[in-house]
Amino acid sequence: MLQNVCLTAIALLLPVAAFGQDAPALAGAYEPDVHTLLLYHFDGEGDEILDASSQALHGKLNEGPVERGEGIFGSSLKLADGQVIQLEGGRECLRGMDQLTAELWFKTTNQDSTHRQRLIMFWEHYLISIFEGNRLVGHLYDSEGKKYVLRGHTAIMPGVWYHAAITFDGERGRLWLNGVQETSVRMKGPINNALGSLSISTNSNDAFIGEIDELCISNIARKSFIAARQRNFASLTSDLALSPGVFRATFLPVLPEGAEGLTCTASLAGGATESVTIPAEELKTADEPGWMMGEAQVVVPVPEGLQGEGTVTCAVSYTAEGLERSVSSQFPVRMEPMIPPPAKEFRAAWTHISRIEDPEDLFSRMEASGLNAAIMRSRRGETAFFNSKVGPLSQIPFDNPTQLEDCLAAAEKHGIDLHPYVNCFNIGQPQSDFAQQLRAEGRWQKSWRGDDVPWLCPSDPRNVEIVKQGMLELVRDYPVKGIQYDFIRYPNADACYCDRCRAKFEEHIGKKVENWPEDVREGGPLEDEYLDVRASYITEAVRDISAAIREIKPEVMITAAVFAQDPEQAKRGVGQDWLRWCKEGLLDALCPMSYVQDASAYEQTVEMILEAVDGAVPVYAGIGLRSSSGVMRYPEELAVKLNILRRLGAPGFAMFCVTPKTDAPENVLMPLRDTVLAGDGRG
């Protein structure tokens, strides 16, 4: 395995001395205004962190040594594992706001993409974190304590300065990275006003490791982050490229009004230099008066034979008021030789039967893309998306009673093995009479608060039977090559705590749980035992259904789409004990949903799963083509992921997803048919 390289991005303002000091400058350090509630510059000395706002909420580092570095503006504060900034004085002004902005600059030095890191943590109020897979995540809590999660899609690379912000304007929460909105969520205000403790980082296992600068909290939703946009004007699609291959740099420069001659340049040390000029008429007005912004992409070829570590330099130059200015950033990168595709390889894409209006079109494009299998959603809980004889409910796509038969025929014609997948325990039509009947019978899951959750509780054998009969029908009555469990889990850690789960657990331990559900939740004395029993219901369902499938048609491949997490984490979080399923032979192959976009994080995730499974079953690793983690737009992104899988020894892959209407086959897959997707993988 290639070792991860600590990445650094160095933004340099390069004025030409002859032009004097009147040339346009970058936006400067933050200054407090009437909305500023907290502002840390980190420019002082010692363990005291001075607040530059009028609130005087000074902080203190919990333990030493105190180290400072070179920040975005002046000094930064370095945080080691376990070091936390704790606030002094009252914090009433930091909660219950009608509007909010919490922002900071950060540079992580953590190389473990599975390690979660808390940056700003005001539990049950607002948080900014880096989650598994190196993704920025924000949390907001409304006045009733309801949690809203905002998940970013841009990979966070170690050693690179980033600006992160979470905002709330009274109607929507927004997550920002480098001045660009990553995602948003509708939310009613105000921010939760409950008592709590705000800290920067945490002394738990989720500690942030790296440097921070310019941390600011305001009681207004700020809409523009010009300083962040200026300093982070370029990014690479990936820090890893194949040889031969390409690096792609995306430029989003911000420059003063009236500037012209904007040129974006990217160069690879030992390789080529490429540039794009953006005409003045193509510049757009930025959110903040006096500034303009542009957008461009520059593709730099990687010549054959160039391998190992290298550097891509991105630069922006322009003229403003007759003066030339330029800013540059350097990105250390890695290059590795392309591994030829193996003769035999499982090459699949997930798809949805309910969106396939023209099966011939979709499966012919899959064949043209070099794929040989399709994993097609065909059921969701109690609802079949085809003309099911066992029901209980059916939704027929496009009013076509032979939709499933048509998909099977088209797939066979084009050499695509069809594997229906079933969303096992989540309910397909919660408002239907049948689903409401299940609810009345107490067959829905319950949150720890006692709320109904529209998922079938696996502790009820009647619910397992619905899933079982639906999967058996697909295997028994149709010429499928495989069948896949999906949503074979609980929705999250908040379920299930229904009366049946309680009664069965009390029977298991032989005594009554006096303080339900607190005793079985996180930190409770019975937490571990309850999580084991909770997961056992899912495992028993898999054991029962897989045995029945093999009795009917033993040649059918049984797979499961599972969380791409540490096995124990998946078991405790959603009751998905997928490692046990592999070791016991309940599956024929595992399809982890490893939709991580960042190449280094992807490699770490897949390697962790391969090591855990240890050859018990084949691992067909997931690749996020069009997923909640982001959209793969360029063929070189897919090429890198395939090369990683082959280097690690994975025997195949499954991409999520190729579903109409999609341009992924033409734009991402087919351009690779002569290289990493050559052949058909059938041996």
Side-chain angles (χ1 to χ4, degrees):
M1 171 184 174
L2 289 177
Q3 295 296 314
N4 291 330
V5 179
C6 183
L7 306 175
T8 57
I10 308 167
L12 304 172
L13 185 65
L14 302 175
V16 179
F19 296 144
Q21 298 181 353
D22 294 329
L26 295 172
Y30 295 174
E31 294 292 338
D33 60 21
V34 295
H35 299 290
T36 306
L37 305 177
L38 179 74
L39 177 57
Y40 290 160
H41 293 303
F42 303 110
D43 290 333
E45 297 181 358
D47 59 359
E48 187 176 28
I49 312 299
L50 298 178
D51 179 13
S53 81
S54 61
Q55 302 293 330
L57 295 174
H58 307 307
K60 190 177 182 66
L61 201 61
N62 66 327
E63 60 185 36
V66 179
E67 291 189 57
R68 286 181 166 82
E70 183 178 349
I72 296 296
F73 307 105
S75 298
S76 66
L77 181 69
K78 296 183 178 181
L79 292 175
D81 192 5
Q83 288 188 306
V84 183
I85 300 175
Q86 299 170 328
L87 270 67
E88 301 174 354
R91 301 178 183 85
E92 290 80 7
C93 66
L94 299 179
R95 49 186 170 86
M97 302 97 85
D98 293 325
Q99 296 193 22
L100 165 75
T101 298
E103 57 180 306
L104 81 165
W105 291 82
F106 70 92
K107 178 174 65 173
T108 178
T109 56
N110 168 60
Q111 297 285 342
D112 181 2
S113 65
T114 65
H115 174 63
R116 183 177 300 183
Q117 301 181 82
R118 304 292 189 185
L119 289 159
I120 297 177
M121 191 171 82
F122 199 174
W123 199 252
E124 296 191 351
H125 296 78
Y126 43 88
L127 298 86
I128 298 178
S129 311
I130 305 171
F131 267 33
E132 299 87 344
N134 293 344
R135 288 291 183 276
L136 192 70
V137 174
H139 292 82
L140 292 170
Y141 294 80
D142 64 17
S143 58
E144 297 180 353
K146 181 179 178 181
K147 178 172 64 177
Y148 298 82
V149 182
L150 298 102
R151 301 185 187 278
H153 54 80
T154 304
I156 304 298
M157 297 182 180
V160 178
W161 276 108
Y162 293 93
H163 177 271
I166 191 168
T167 64
F168 173 62
D169 62 10
E171 296 182 354
R172 295 198 74 87
R174 292 178 168 84
L175 184 68
W176 306 76
L177 184 66
N178 293 339
V180 178
Q181 182 177 307
E182 289 272 291
T183 188
S184 69
V185 64
R186 188 177 300 278
M187 169 182 163
K188 297 291 185 181
I191 298 296
N192 193 8
N193 194 38
L195 296 175
S197 177
L198 186 148
S199 66
I200 313 305
S201 188
T202 175
N203 55 9
S204 71
N205 293 332
D206 297 341
F208 171 76
I209 304 171
E211 300 179 47
I212 56 175
D213 196 7
E214 298 299 306
L215 188 150
C216 184
I217 299 176
S218 309
N219 62 6
I220 191 173
R222 302 193 187 274
K223 301 178 180 179
S224 177
F225 304 95
I226 290 296
R229 290 288 301 274
Q230 281 186 306
R231 284 165 173 78
N232 292 285
F233 64 89
S235 62
L236 298 182
T237 302
S238 174
D239 69 303
L240 175 64
L242 303 188
S243 172
V246 299
F247 283 107
R248 185 183 301 266
T250 298
F251 288 79
L252 296 170
V254 175
L255 57 161
E257 280 187 350
E260 56 187 17
L262 174 61
T263 300
C264 303
T265 302
S267 60
L268 173 63
T273 298
E274 303 289 339
S275 63
V276 172
T277 298
I278 305 177
E281 59 269 19
E282 293 184 10
L283 298 176
K284 300 177 182 179
T285 302
D287 296 332
E288 191 166 314
W291 299 93
M292 305 175 70
M293 57 185 180
E295 183 173 355
Q297 288 192 350
V298 179
V299 177
V300 183
V302 178
E304 187 170 6
L306 192 59
Q307 300 175 23
E309 300 176 8
T311 302
V312 171
T313 301
C314 298
V316 168
S317 60
Y318 58 87
T319 301
E321 299 180 356
L323 303 176
E324 295 182 6
R325 303 293 292 186
S326 67
V327 181
S328 69
S329 292
Q330 291 185 328
F331 298 91
V333 293
R334 300 172 294 152
M335 294 155 285
E336 65 180 32
M338 187 196 84
I339 298 173
K344 188 173 181 59
E345 184 175 56
F346 185 81
R347 300 180 179 181
W350 278 285
T351 189
H352 295 178
I353 189 174
S354 57
R355 299 182 187 175
I356 305 174
E357 188 169 9
D358 186 346
E360 170 66 24
D361 173 73
L362 178 68
F363 292 109
S364 66
R365 293 163 70 203
M366 284 190 177
E367 179 188 27
S369 300
L371 303 182
N372 56 34
I375 308 171
M376 184 176 72
R377 185 174 78 160
S378 303
R379 294 189 63 98
R380 182 181 177 92
E382 83 298 348
T383 300
F385 298 115
F386 61 96
N387 193 16
S388 171
K389 296 181 179 64
V390 303
L393 301 178
S394 294
Q395 282 185 339
I396 310 300
F398 312 108
D399 294 323
N400 179 8
T402 60
Q403 174 78 351
L404 181 53
E405 292 86 341
D406 294 349
C407 287
L408 282 161
E412 183 179 17
K413 175 183 175 181
H414 293 286
I416 304 296
D417 292 343
L418 198 61
H419 300 239
Y421 78 84
V422 174
N423 299 146
C424 294
F425 288 114
N426 58 337
I427 294 175
Q429 301 181 69
Q431 299 307 316
S432 69
D433 291 342
F434 180 77
Q436 290 301 313
Q437 177 186 335
L438 297 181
R439 185 179 191 176
E441 294 173 358
R443 293 169 61 179
W444 284 27
Q445 293 186 28
K446 289 272 191 183
S447 74
W448 66 270
R449 295 183 178 90
D451 300 325
D452 286 324
V453 178
W455 283 56
L456 298 170
C457 178
S459 73
D460 191 323
R462 296 171 297 175
N463 291 339
V464 175
E465 191 66 18
I466 288 176
V467 177
K468 178 179 179 180
Q469 292 305 319
M471 297 184 76
L472 292 182
E473 178 186 26
L474 287 164
V475 172
R476 179 184 60 241
D477 299 346
Y478 298 92
V480 300
K481 300 295 185 181
I483 188 83
Q484 183 172 95
Y485 299 100
D486 188 32
F487 285 77
I488 185 72
R489 56 179 176 84
Y490 297 88
N492 47 47
D494 290 340
C496 176
Y497 297 91
C498 70
D499 291 342
R500 184 180 298 99
C501 284
R502 177 179 184 175
K504 295 183 78 167
F505 180 68
E506 290 177 339
E507 181 182 355
H508 172 78
I509 63 174
K511 63 180 180 179
K512 184 177 178 61
V513 179
E514 297 296 337
N515 190 23
W516 179 273
E518 285 74 14
D519 282 355
V520 300
R521 295 189 65 230
E522 185 175 3
L526 299 173
E527 177 194 8
D528 291 343
E529 196 165 0
Y530 186 71
L531 291 178
D532 285 342
V533 172
R534 172 177 176 259
S536 73
Y537 299 136
I538 305 288
T539 295
E540 283 299 324
V542 174
R543 188 177 289 123
D544 177 37
I545 297 171
S546 290
I549 290 171
R550 286 170 173 159
E551 184 175 344
I552 291 174
K553 197 176 290 185
E555 70 273 17
V556 164
M557 181 191 296
I558 303 173
T559 62
V562 301
F563 275 22
Q565 297 176 330
D566 173 83
E568 186 65 17
Q569 185 179 3
K571 174 187 170 184
R572 294 176 66 86
V574 293
Q576 198 170 68
D577 197 359
W578 54 256
L579 184 57
R580 170 172 288 188
W581 308 344
C582 294
K583 299 293 186 181
E584 287 190 15
L586 306 182
L587 305 175
D588 296 312
L590 188 73
C591 294
M593 297 180 289
S594 44
Y595 305 148
V596 185
Q597 297 296 312
D598 174 64
S600 296
Y602 183 78
E603 180 168 336
Q604 290 181 2
T605 300
V606 174
E607 187 173 42
M608 176 268 293
I609 294 169
L610 287 170
E611 289 179 353
V613 173
D614 194 26
V617 298
V619 174
Y620 303 141
I623 296 176
L625 192 63
R626 299 286 194 276
S627 72
S628 59
S629 297
V631 176
M632 191 178 289
R633 302 185 184 280
Y634 309 110
E636 64 268 19
E637 297 177 88
L638 178 57
V640 163
K641 299 288 177 59
L642 295 178
N643 218 60
I644 289 172
L645 293 179
R646 290 163 183 165
R647 175 159 47 77
L648 294 177
F653 59 88
M655 297 181 294
F656 192 91
C657 60
V658 177
T659 297
K661 302 176 179 178
T662 176
D663 58 1
E666 290 75 20
N667 291 343
V668 180
L669 281 73
M670 292 182 192
L672 303 175
R673 286 295 278 130
D674 294 332
T675 54
V676 296
L677 282 176
D680 60 12
R682 290 195 173 273

